[in-house]
Amino acid sequence: MFEHLQLIPPDPLLGIIDKFNKDTNPNKIDLGVGVYKDENNQTAVLDCVKQAETFLLKKQTSKSYLGPNGDKNFTRLMCQLALGEQSAGILESGRISALQTPGGCGALRVAAELVNRSKPGVKVWVSDPTWANHVPLLGDAGLTIEKYPYYDHGTKTIDFSAMLEGLKAAQSGDLVLLHACCHNPSGADLSQQQWHDLCDLMLERELVPFIDMAYQGFGEDLDKDAFGLRLVIEKCPEAIFCISCSKNFGLYRDRVGVVGFMNVSKDTSPALMSHLVQVVRGIYSMPPDHGAAVVANILGSEELRAGWLVELNTMRERIQHMRRGLADNMAAKGFGEDFRFVESERGMFSFLGINPSQVQQLGDEYGIYMADSSRINIAGLNANNLEYFCGSLATVLSAS
Ligand code: LMR
Protein backbone atom coordinates (compact mmCIF):
# COMPACT_ATOMS: atom_id res chain seq x y z
CA MET A 1 0.00 0.00 0.00
CA PHE A 2 2.73 2.50 0.88
CA GLU A 3 5.55 1.24 -1.36
CA HIS A 4 5.23 4.16 -3.76
CA LEU A 5 5.84 6.81 -1.08
CA GLN A 6 9.15 8.65 -1.52
CA LEU A 7 11.28 9.68 1.44
CA ILE A 8 10.84 13.37 2.21
CA PRO A 9 13.45 15.47 4.04
CA PRO A 10 12.83 16.12 7.76
CA ASP A 11 10.86 19.24 8.76
CA PRO A 12 13.32 22.14 8.30
CA LEU A 13 12.99 23.27 11.92
CA LEU A 14 12.56 19.94 13.70
CA GLY A 15 15.46 18.47 11.66
CA ILE A 16 17.84 20.86 13.44
CA ILE A 17 17.23 19.04 16.76
CA ASP A 18 18.54 15.85 15.20
CA LYS A 19 21.69 17.45 13.79
CA PHE A 20 22.37 19.12 17.13
CA ASN A 21 21.92 15.90 19.13
CA LYS A 22 24.37 14.03 16.91
CA ASP A 23 27.13 16.66 17.26
CA THR A 24 29.83 15.79 19.83
CA ASN A 25 31.30 19.34 20.04
CA PRO A 26 31.21 20.28 23.78
CA ASN A 27 30.60 23.94 22.83
CA LYS A 28 27.68 23.22 20.49
CA ILE A 29 24.74 25.66 20.56
CA ASP A 30 21.18 24.97 19.45
CA LEU A 31 19.60 28.13 18.02
CA GLY A 32 17.00 26.19 16.04
CA VAL A 33 13.51 25.39 17.25
CA GLY A 34 11.71 28.12 19.17
CA VAL A 35 11.72 27.01 22.76
CA TYR A 36 12.66 29.33 25.59
CA LYS A 37 15.85 28.42 27.45
CA ASP A 38 17.00 30.03 30.66
CA GLU A 39 20.49 31.24 31.54
CA ASN A 40 21.44 27.59 32.27
CA ASN A 41 20.22 26.47 28.86
CA GLN A 42 17.21 24.71 30.41
CA THR A 43 13.57 24.79 29.31
CA ALA A 44 12.35 24.49 32.88
CA VAL A 45 8.72 23.98 33.93
CA LEU A 46 7.47 27.34 35.28
CA ASP A 47 6.95 27.50 39.06
CA CYS A 48 3.34 28.65 38.61
CA VAL A 49 2.74 25.58 36.41
CA LYS A 50 4.21 23.27 39.07
CA GLN A 51 1.97 24.87 41.69
CA ALA A 52 -1.13 24.54 39.52
CA GLU A 53 -0.24 20.91 38.79
CA THR A 54 0.16 20.18 42.50
CA PHE A 55 -3.24 21.72 43.11
CA LEU A 56 -4.82 19.69 40.29
CA LEU A 57 -3.28 16.47 41.55
CA LYS A 58 -5.00 17.01 44.88
CA LYS A 59 -8.29 18.50 43.71
CA GLN A 60 -9.12 17.06 40.31
CA THR A 61 -11.80 14.46 40.81
CA SER A 62 -12.45 13.23 37.28
CA LYS A 63 -10.82 12.79 33.91
CA SER A 64 -14.05 12.14 32.11
CA TYR A 65 -14.65 13.70 28.68
CA LEU A 66 -15.23 17.45 28.42
CA GLY A 67 -16.29 17.37 24.76
CA PRO A 68 -14.92 18.94 21.56
CA ASN A 69 -14.98 22.47 23.05
CA GLY A 70 -12.61 21.50 25.83
CA ASP A 71 -12.57 23.56 29.02
CA LYS A 72 -14.94 26.51 28.57
CA ASN A 73 -13.60 28.32 31.61
CA PHE A 74 -10.08 28.11 30.16
CA THR A 75 -11.30 29.51 26.83
CA ARG A 76 -13.08 32.41 28.53
CA LEU A 77 -10.01 33.30 30.60
CA MET A 78 -7.77 33.12 27.53
CA CYS A 79 -10.12 35.33 25.50
CA GLN A 80 -10.07 37.86 28.34
CA LEU A 81 -6.28 37.78 28.42
CA ALA A 82 -6.00 38.21 24.66
CA LEU A 83 -8.73 40.77 24.16
CA GLY A 84 -8.10 42.78 27.35
CA GLU A 85 -10.52 45.32 28.80
CA GLN A 86 -12.75 45.30 25.76
CA SER A 87 -13.27 41.54 26.15
CA ALA A 88 -16.28 41.93 28.46
CA GLY A 89 -18.34 43.77 25.85
CA ILE A 90 -17.38 41.64 22.90
CA LEU A 91 -17.67 38.33 24.77
CA GLU A 92 -21.12 39.29 26.06
CA SER A 93 -22.22 40.39 22.59
CA GLY A 94 -22.35 36.74 21.53
CA ARG A 95 -20.29 37.49 18.42
CA ILE A 96 -17.27 35.46 19.55
CA SER A 97 -17.20 31.71 18.97
CA ALA A 98 -14.10 30.17 20.57
CA LEU A 99 -12.88 26.84 21.83
CA GLN A 100 -9.83 25.12 23.28
CA THR A 101 -7.44 23.51 20.79
CA PRO A 102 -4.32 21.32 20.89
CA GLY A 103 -1.82 24.22 20.79
CA GLY A 104 -1.60 27.07 18.33
CA CYS A 105 -1.11 24.58 15.47
CA GLY A 106 -4.40 22.90 16.32
CA ALA A 107 -6.06 26.32 16.38
CA LEU A 108 -4.67 27.26 12.96
CA ARG A 109 -5.68 23.95 11.41
CA VAL A 110 -9.20 23.96 12.86
CA ALA A 111 -9.67 27.57 11.71
CA ALA A 112 -8.47 26.67 8.20
CA GLU A 113 -10.76 23.62 8.03
CA LEU A 114 -13.76 25.70 9.02
CA VAL A 115 -12.91 28.50 6.57
CA ASN A 116 -12.52 25.92 3.81
CA ARG A 117 -15.94 24.44 4.62
CA SER A 118 -17.49 27.84 4.29
CA LYS A 119 -15.46 29.14 1.32
CA PRO A 120 -13.56 26.26 -0.33
CA GLY A 121 -10.12 27.20 -1.60
CA VAL A 122 -10.34 30.85 -0.49
CA LYS A 123 -7.03 32.71 -0.53
CA VAL A 124 -5.07 33.32 2.63
CA TRP A 125 -2.29 35.91 2.33
CA VAL A 126 0.75 35.16 4.46
CA SER A 127 3.79 37.33 5.10
CA ASP A 128 6.94 36.73 3.10
CA PRO A 129 8.58 35.22 5.04
CA THR A 130 6.33 33.50 7.54
CA TRP A 131 6.67 30.57 9.96
CA ALA A 132 7.38 27.52 7.76
CA ASN A 133 4.54 25.49 9.28
CA HIS A 134 1.86 28.06 8.38
CA VAL A 135 1.89 26.79 4.81
CA PRO A 136 1.06 23.11 5.46
CA LEU A 137 -1.27 23.93 8.36
CA LEU A 138 -3.42 26.19 6.19
CA GLY A 139 -2.70 24.87 2.71
CA ASP A 140 -3.34 21.18 3.50
CA ALA A 141 -6.80 22.18 4.74
CA GLY A 142 -7.56 23.40 1.21
CA LEU A 143 -6.88 27.15 1.45
CA THR A 144 -4.92 28.81 -1.35
CA ILE A 145 -1.70 30.37 -0.08
CA GLU A 146 -0.62 33.77 -1.43
CA LYS A 147 2.24 35.90 -0.14
CA TYR A 148 2.51 39.58 0.65
CA PRO A 149 5.91 41.30 1.01
CA TYR A 150 6.93 41.84 4.63
CA TYR A 151 10.57 41.72 5.68
CA ASP A 152 13.25 43.44 3.62
CA HIS A 153 16.49 41.52 4.16
CA GLY A 154 18.49 44.47 2.78
CA THR A 155 17.28 47.12 5.20
CA LYS A 156 16.40 44.58 7.93
CA THR A 157 13.05 46.24 8.47
CA ILE A 158 9.45 45.74 7.39
CA ASP A 159 8.81 47.07 3.90
CA PHE A 160 5.43 48.43 4.89
CA SER A 161 4.59 50.23 1.67
CA ALA A 162 5.34 47.03 -0.31
CA MET A 163 3.14 45.12 2.16
CA LEU A 164 0.19 47.45 1.60
CA GLU A 165 0.77 47.45 -2.16
CA GLY A 166 0.97 43.64 -2.22
CA LEU A 167 -2.28 43.32 -0.28
CA LYS A 168 -4.07 45.45 -2.85
CA ALA A 169 -4.10 42.33 -5.03
CA ALA A 170 -6.30 40.56 -2.45
CA GLN A 171 -10.00 40.24 -3.22
CA SER A 172 -12.96 40.86 -0.96
CA GLY A 173 -13.33 37.90 1.46
CA ASP A 174 -9.66 36.83 1.28
CA LEU A 175 -7.92 36.22 4.61
CA VAL A 176 -4.80 38.04 5.77
CA LEU A 177 -2.66 36.08 8.21
CA LEU A 178 -0.88 38.44 10.61
CA HIS A 179 1.48 37.71 13.48
CA ALA A 180 0.13 39.56 16.53
CA CYS A 181 3.65 40.17 17.85
CA CYS A 182 7.17 38.69 17.81
CA HIS A 183 7.03 37.95 14.09
CA ASN A 184 8.34 34.47 13.38
CA PRO A 185 10.91 34.29 11.73
CA SER A 186 12.02 37.95 11.49
CA GLY A 187 11.34 39.48 14.93
CA ALA A 188 10.19 42.64 13.08
CA ASP A 189 6.81 43.79 14.40
CA LEU A 190 4.30 46.26 13.01
CA SER A 191 4.11 49.60 14.81
CA GLN A 192 0.77 50.77 16.24
CA GLN A 193 0.41 53.24 13.35
CA GLN A 194 1.06 50.44 10.85
CA TRP A 195 -1.65 48.32 12.49
CA HIS A 196 -4.05 51.26 12.06
CA ASP A 197 -3.11 51.68 8.39
CA LEU A 198 -3.44 47.96 7.79
CA CYS A 199 -6.88 47.87 9.43
CA ASP A 200 -7.98 50.70 7.15
CA LEU A 201 -6.82 48.74 4.12
CA MET A 202 -8.51 45.52 5.27
CA LEU A 203 -11.74 47.41 5.90
CA GLU A 204 -11.63 49.18 2.56
CA ARG A 205 -10.96 45.96 0.64
CA GLU A 206 -13.17 43.75 2.84
CA LEU A 207 -10.32 41.42 3.82
CA VAL A 208 -10.64 39.17 6.85
CA PRO A 209 -7.87 39.47 9.46
CA PHE A 210 -6.56 36.13 10.69
CA ILE A 211 -4.32 36.74 13.69
CA ASP A 212 -1.79 34.24 14.99
CA MET A 213 -0.75 35.14 18.53
CA ALA A 214 1.85 32.64 19.72
CA TYR A 215 4.03 34.94 21.84
CA GLN A 216 1.84 37.25 23.94
CA GLY A 217 4.09 38.72 26.64
CA PHE A 218 7.37 37.89 24.87
CA GLY A 219 7.61 41.19 22.95
CA GLU A 220 6.81 44.27 25.05
CA ASP A 221 4.15 43.19 27.56
CA LEU A 222 0.80 41.40 27.57
CA ASP A 223 -1.20 44.46 26.50
CA LYS A 224 1.15 45.97 23.93
CA ASP A 225 1.67 42.57 22.31
CA ALA A 226 -2.09 42.24 21.81
CA PHE A 227 -2.50 45.76 20.39
CA GLY A 228 -3.02 44.59 16.79
CA LEU A 229 -5.48 41.85 17.71
CA ARG A 230 -7.48 44.23 19.89
CA LEU A 231 -7.54 46.89 17.18
CA VAL A 232 -8.79 44.40 14.62
CA ILE A 233 -11.52 43.25 17.02
CA GLU A 234 -12.54 46.86 17.55
CA LYS A 235 -12.44 48.00 13.92
CA CYS A 236 -13.20 45.05 11.66
CA PRO A 237 -16.56 43.31 11.25
CA GLU A 238 -15.08 39.80 11.34
CA ALA A 239 -11.81 38.26 12.42
CA ILE A 240 -10.20 34.95 13.30
CA PHE A 241 -7.65 34.55 16.07
CA CYS A 242 -5.42 31.68 17.14
CA ILE A 243 -3.62 31.70 20.48
CA SER A 244 -0.86 29.46 21.77
CA CYS A 245 0.17 28.89 25.40
CA SER A 246 3.30 26.96 24.39
CA LYS A 247 5.75 29.78 24.95
CA ASN A 248 4.27 32.16 27.50
CA PHE A 249 3.25 29.32 29.86
CA GLY A 250 6.11 27.01 28.77
CA LEU A 251 3.57 24.25 28.08
CA TYR A 252 5.01 23.19 24.72
CA ARG A 253 4.35 19.45 24.82
CA ASP A 254 1.01 19.75 26.63
CA ARG A 255 -0.52 21.38 23.52
CA VAL A 256 -2.62 24.28 24.77
CA GLY A 257 -4.32 26.84 22.55
CA VAL A 258 -7.51 28.60 21.53
CA VAL A 259 -9.22 29.34 18.25
CA GLY A 260 -11.70 32.20 18.07
CA PHE A 261 -13.97 33.69 15.43
CA MET A 262 -15.50 37.13 15.70
CA ASN A 263 -18.67 37.04 13.63
CA VAL A 264 -20.43 39.90 11.86
CA SER A 265 -23.52 39.24 13.95
CA LYS A 266 -24.36 37.09 16.96
CA ASP A 267 -26.91 35.29 14.78
CA THR A 268 -24.04 33.62 12.90
CA SER A 269 -22.48 32.19 16.05
CA PRO A 270 -24.67 29.11 16.74
CA ALA A 271 -24.28 27.67 13.22
CA LEU A 272 -20.57 28.51 13.11
CA MET A 273 -20.03 26.82 16.47
CA SER A 274 -21.91 23.71 15.35
CA HIS A 275 -19.57 23.36 12.36
CA LEU A 276 -16.52 24.12 14.45
CA VAL A 277 -17.44 21.36 16.88
CA GLN A 278 -18.02 18.94 14.01
CA VAL A 279 -14.63 19.81 12.47
CA VAL A 280 -12.95 19.10 15.82
CA ARG A 281 -14.85 15.84 16.33
CA GLY A 282 -13.74 14.69 12.88
CA ILE A 283 -10.05 15.39 13.45
CA TYR A 284 -9.12 14.74 17.08
CA SER A 285 -12.50 14.54 18.80
CA MET A 286 -11.49 16.54 21.88
CA PRO A 287 -8.43 18.52 22.97
CA PRO A 288 -6.10 17.23 25.71
CA ASP A 289 -7.14 18.64 29.08
CA HIS A 290 -4.11 18.81 31.34
CA GLY A 291 -2.33 21.94 30.05
CA ALA A 292 -5.56 23.90 29.70
CA ALA A 293 -6.57 22.97 33.25
CA VAL A 294 -3.18 24.26 34.43
CA VAL A 295 -3.60 27.57 32.58
CA ALA A 296 -7.17 28.00 33.85
CA ASN A 297 -5.87 27.48 37.36
CA ILE A 298 -3.10 30.03 36.96
CA LEU A 299 -5.29 32.70 35.36
CA GLY A 300 -8.09 32.06 37.85
CA SER A 301 -5.90 32.50 40.93
CA GLU A 302 -4.66 35.95 41.88
CA GLU A 303 -1.56 34.51 43.49
CA LEU A 304 -0.60 32.15 40.65
CA ARG A 305 -1.33 34.79 38.03
CA ALA A 306 0.97 37.26 39.81
CA GLY A 307 3.70 34.60 39.95
CA TRP A 308 3.22 33.83 36.26
CA LEU A 309 3.62 37.51 35.34
CA VAL A 310 6.95 37.65 37.16
CA GLU A 311 8.17 34.52 35.33
CA LEU A 312 6.93 35.81 31.98
CA ASN A 313 8.72 39.13 32.50
CA THR A 314 11.91 37.30 33.42
CA MET A 315 11.79 35.31 30.17
CA ARG A 316 11.15 38.39 28.07
CA GLU A 317 13.83 40.47 29.77
CA ARG A 318 16.42 37.72 29.41
CA ILE A 319 15.78 37.51 25.67
CA GLN A 320 16.07 41.29 25.39
CA HIS A 321 19.30 41.20 27.38
CA MET A 322 20.72 38.60 24.97
CA ARG A 323 19.66 40.73 21.99
CA ARG A 324 21.62 43.64 23.43
CA GLY A 325 24.53 41.36 24.31
CA LEU A 326 24.77 40.04 20.75
CA ALA A 327 24.68 43.54 19.23
CA ASP A 328 27.28 44.91 21.70
CA ASN A 329 29.57 41.91 21.37
CA MET A 330 29.57 42.06 17.56
CA ALA A 331 30.21 45.82 17.73
CA ALA A 332 33.18 45.18 20.02
CA LYS A 333 34.51 42.66 17.47
CA GLY A 334 34.65 45.32 14.80
CA PHE A 335 31.26 44.87 13.17
CA GLY A 336 30.13 48.36 14.16
CA GLU A 337 26.39 48.68 14.11
CA ASP A 338 25.90 45.75 11.66
CA PHE A 339 24.01 43.69 14.24
CA ARG A 340 22.31 46.54 16.12
CA PHE A 341 19.02 45.68 14.38
CA VAL A 342 18.79 42.52 16.52
CA GLU A 343 18.32 44.73 19.57
CA SER A 344 15.29 46.50 18.15
CA GLU A 345 13.53 43.30 17.08
CA ARG A 346 11.25 41.40 19.43
CA GLY A 347 10.44 37.87 20.55
CA MET A 348 12.51 34.76 20.13
CA PHE A 349 13.71 35.15 16.57
CA SER A 350 15.87 37.26 14.27
CA PHE A 351 17.58 36.59 10.98
CA LEU A 352 21.34 36.94 11.29
CA GLY A 353 21.38 37.91 7.63
CA ILE A 354 24.21 35.54 6.70
CA ASN A 355 24.19 33.31 3.63
CA PRO A 356 23.42 29.55 3.55
CA SER A 357 27.05 28.50 3.24
CA GLN A 358 27.94 30.59 6.31
CA VAL A 359 25.03 28.93 8.15
CA GLN A 360 26.40 25.54 7.10
CA GLN A 361 29.94 26.47 8.17
CA LEU A 362 28.74 27.53 11.62
CA GLY A 363 27.08 24.13 12.01
CA ASP A 364 29.88 21.99 10.56
CA GLU A 365 32.87 23.74 12.13
CA TYR A 366 31.52 25.29 15.31
CA GLY A 367 28.47 23.18 16.25
CA ILE A 368 26.22 26.25 16.06
CA TYR A 369 22.86 25.26 14.59
CA MET A 370 20.13 27.47 13.17
CA ALA A 371 17.54 27.41 10.38
CA ASP A 372 18.93 27.57 6.83
CA SER A 373 17.41 31.02 6.50
CA SER A 374 19.82 32.18 9.28
CA ARG A 375 16.92 32.55 11.72
CA ILE A 376 18.24 32.15 15.25
CA ASN A 377 16.40 31.48 18.48
CA ILE A 378 17.84 34.24 20.66
CA ALA A 379 16.80 32.30 23.79
CA GLY A 380 19.46 29.70 22.92
CA LEU A 381 22.12 32.29 23.86
CA ASN A 382 23.32 32.86 27.40
CA ALA A 383 26.21 34.44 29.28
CA ASN A 384 28.24 31.21 28.92
CA ASN A 385 27.96 30.78 25.16
CA LEU A 386 27.57 34.34 23.84
CA GLU A 387 31.31 34.93 23.43
CA TYR A 388 31.78 31.58 21.63
CA PHE A 389 28.82 32.34 19.39
CA CYS A 390 29.92 35.88 18.49
CA GLY A 391 33.57 34.83 18.07
CA SER A 392 32.58 32.02 15.70
CA LEU A 393 30.24 34.29 13.74
CA ALA A 394 32.94 36.97 13.47
CA THR A 395 35.48 34.41 12.20
CA VAL A 396 33.09 33.07 9.58
CA LEU A 397 32.13 36.57 8.43
CA SER A 398 35.74 37.79 8.27
CA ALA A 399 36.80 34.77 6.21
CA SER A 400 34.02 35.24 3.62
C1 LMR B 1 9.50 27.57 15.83
O1 LMR B 1 9.18 28.34 14.93
O2 LMR B 1 10.64 27.14 15.96
C2 LMR B 1 8.47 27.15 16.84
O3 LMR B 1 7.26 27.76 16.58
C3 LMR B 1 8.38 25.67 17.00
C4 LMR B 1 7.80 24.95 15.83
O4 LMR B 1 6.92 24.11 16.06
O5 LMR B 1 8.22 25.17 14.70
Side-chain angles (χ1 to χ4, degrees):
M1 183 175 193
F2 303 112
E3 291 73 15
H4 64 287
L5 293 181
Q6 301 287 313
L7 184 73
I8 51 172
D11 176 276
L13 287 173
L14 302 183
I16 301 170
I17 302 177
D18 231 34
K19 284 194 203 161
F20 176 79
N21 286 342
K22 285 186 184 136
D23 194 327
T24 53
N25 182 340
N27 296 320
K28 65 184 179 177
I29 310 177
D30 179 6
L31 304 177
V33 178
V35 288
Y36 177 79
K37 292 175 202 161
D38 63 19
E39 199 50 31
N40 301 314
N41 210 27
Q42 299 302 310
T43 306
V45 180
L46 299 188
D47 281 345
C48 59
V49 167
K50 283 272 187 218
Q51 288 177 48
E53 285 180 324
T54 306
F55 177 83
L56 279 174
L57 197 62
K58 280 199 200 129
K59 300 279 173 193
Q60 199 170 44
T61 52
S62 173
K63 290 213 180 263
S64 178
Y65 294 128
L66 286 180
N69 300 62
D71 180 342
K72 291 182 181 167
N73 182 41
F74 158 80
T75 301
R76 184 183 52 82
L77 288 164
M78 284 300 296
C79 286
Q80 287 171 348
L81 186 71
L83 304 181
E85 277 175 15
Q86 71 199 87
S87 66
I90 187 74
L91 289 175
E92 275 158 29
S93 75
R95 287 174 58 209
I96 301 271
S97 312
L99 51 73
Q100 181 199 329
T101 56
C105 286
L108 286 157
R109 185 49 174 261
V110 164
E113 294 283 348
L114 187 65
V115 168
N116 199 55
R117 260 192 191 205
S118 189
K119 261 188 125 180
V122 68
K123 287 182 180 163
V124 55
W125 294 75
V126 304
S127 61
D128 183 11
T130 194
W131 177 45
N133 209 28
H134 275 146
V135 175
L137 279 171
L138 307 179
D140 289 358
L143 306 188
T144 307
I145 309 284
E146 296 279 352
K147 288 182 181 167
Y148 59 81
Y150 187 79
Y151 186 74
D152 181 336
H153 288 273
T155 61
K156 302 187 190 311
T157 54
I158 299 171
D159 188 346
F160 190 62
S161 49
M163 177 180 180
L164 292 186
E165 210 40 51
L167 282 173
K168 286 187 182 153
Q171 308 284 313
S172 165
D174 285 0
L175 301 158
V176 184
L177 186 78
L178 296 160
H179 302 223
C181 59
C182 307
H183 184 267
N184 179 3
S186 72
D189 283 344
L190 294 165
S191 68
Q192 296 196 351
Q193 184 56 51
Q194 288 170 334
W195 275 107
H196 276 283
D197 295 347
L198 193 57
C199 273
D200 291 344
L201 179 102
M202 291 190 290
L203 275 171
E204 186 192 307
R205 305 190 77 85
E206 299 175 330
L207 309 177
V208 182
F210 185 173
I211 313 283
D212 184 4
M213 185 154 71
Y215 297 90
Q216 190 183 6
F218 265 57
E220 300 287 347
D221 63 35
L222 284 172
D223 289 328
K224 289 194 186 121
D225 290 353
F227 176 85
L229 170 62
R230 293 175 189 177
L231 190 72
V232 154
I233 294 289
E234 184 189 318
K235 281 192 158 185
C236 298
E238 356 177 48
I240 304 172
F241 53 92
C242 296
I243 314 172
S244 168
C245 300
S246 296
K247 277 81 182 184
N248 52 7
F249 287 88
L251 286 166
Y252 307 89
R253 69 173 74 154
D254 282 326
R255 313 309 300 140
V256 194
V258 169
V259 65
F261 294 78
M262 182 180 69
N263 304 310
V264 176
S265 137
K266 73 176 176 26
D267 301 337
T268 312
S269 300
L272 185 148
M273 198 58 162
S274 69
H275 281 269
L276 191 56
V277 162
Q278 198 182 62
V279 164
V280 166
R281 186 79 172 128
I283 308 178
Y284 54 81
S285 186
M286 297 167 206
D289 174 66
H290 180 74
V294 165
V295 171
N297 242 278
I298 294 170
L299 294 179
S301 144
E302 228 173 87
E303 192 192 327
L304 291 187
R305 185 189 270 253
W308 171 60
L309 286 178
V310 172
E311 292 185 272
L312 180 60
N313 291 346
T314 302
M315 291 193 279
R316 180 182 60 249
E317 280 162 16
R318 200 189 86 70
I319 292 175
Q320 214 40 47
H321 183 63
M322 283 301 122
R323 287 185 172 281
R324 214 162 23 251
L326 189 162
D328 289 350
N329 197 310
M330 291 308 286
K333 289 191 167 34
F335 288 84
E337 296 304 289
D338 289 4
F339 288 89
R340 193 58 63 191
F341 70 95
V342 172
E343 200 180 335
S344 57
E345 293 176 344
R346 289 292 175 267
M348 279 193 178
F349 309 111
S350 280
F351 288 119
L352 279 181
I354 60 175
N355 65 42
S357 68
Q358 291 167 329
V359 169
Q360 175 96 26
Q361 199 183 346
L362 281 168
D364 293 348
E365 293 175 24
Y366 299 92
I368 297 174
Y369 294 94
M370 65 192 73
D372 292 344
S373 61
S374 87
R375 186 198 83 165
I376 59 166
N377 172 15
I378 306 276
L381 296 173
N382 56 55
N384 294 322
N385 66 19
L386 186 67
E387 178 55 34
Y388 176 72
F389 168 75
C390 291
S392 310
L393 176 60
T395 309
V396 166
L397 288 171
S398 305
S400 301

